[in-house]
Structure formats: structure tokens, C-alpha cells
Amino acid sequence: MNKLVYVGPSPIHGKGLFAARRLQAGQLIGVYDGPVTEKNGDHVLWIEDGEGTGWTGYDGINEMRYMNHADSPTAEMDGLNCYALVDIEPGMEITIDYGWNDS
């Protein structure tokens, strides 16, 4: 159980991931955990294998799967690790950019 975060109702969509305490920009928030999958789903995180070499999906099983999308996110993924982009106050939703608009 990650003591830095909790899951609660989100004004963005369904459930969301929220800061349980103050998080500093650059701080590791958590690690996305789940089995590798080839099928898309509600909690699948796609990680680029390498520049132009393909993608691997991870079907989330821990609290990190509840991160919602935001155009101005509070966190970012580096592989399966999630880091705070800004200082995040307790109760703020932790969001990432899903990359939907990337070309």
C-alpha cells in the first residue's frame, strides 16, 4: 500500500488518484504495477519500448491505475515510475498526460 496516495471520487472521471500528503516536484510517487498485456483496456498503461520499436501494455493492478488524464498534468511517467511534475498538495488529484494528442 502506497502511503503517499489514496483513491477517491474524481471530478475528472470516475475514480482518481490523490495525494495523501505534500509531494515535491521530482518526487517518486509510485510504480505502476500489472501484468504485460497485448489488449487495450480501462487501466492499461502503454510504454514505448524504444524509439519507434513498439509498445508494451501493462494492465494496472495497484492504485496507480487510477491516474486520470489532464492536458496540464501534475505528474509524468518515466517507464513504470510516476514522478511529480509540480508540488502537489494533500487532496490534489495526481494526473498524467495520456498522450492522446501526440503525433
Side-chain angles (χ1 to χ4, degrees):
M1 190 68 171
N2 185 338
K3 294 181 181 183
L4 298 177
V5 298
Y6 65 92
V7 176
S10 169
I12 297 171
H13 174 78
K15 294 181 181 179
L17 189 69
F18 296 85
R21 59 184 66 169
R22 187 172 194 276
L23 305 171
Q24 295 180 343
Q27 181 176 351
L28 176 67
I29 297 171
V31 179
Y32 202 92
D33 186 26
V36 172
T37 184
E38 294 181 10
K39 295 182 180 180
N40 203 10
D42 289 341
H43 300 290
V44 174
L45 175 69
W46 292 96
I47 303 292
E48 191 170 13
D49 297 330
E51 196 65 36
T53 63
W55 296 80
T56 300
Y58 296 88
D59 194 2
I61 59 172
N62 66 352
E63 66 279 343
M64 301 304 289
R65 70 185 180 170
Y66 291 105
M67 290 182 291
N68 283 316
H69 168 80
D71 290 334
S72 297
T74 58
E76 69 180 345
M77 299 301 296
D78 182 5
L80 295 173
N81 296 325
C82 179
Y83 294 93
L85 281 173
V86 298
D87 290 343
I88 303 172
E89 298 299 326
M92 284 180 61
E93 187 162 2
I94 297 166
T95 57
I96 59 174
D97 182 348
Y98 288 178
W100 290 331
N101 296 324
D102 292 350
S103 299

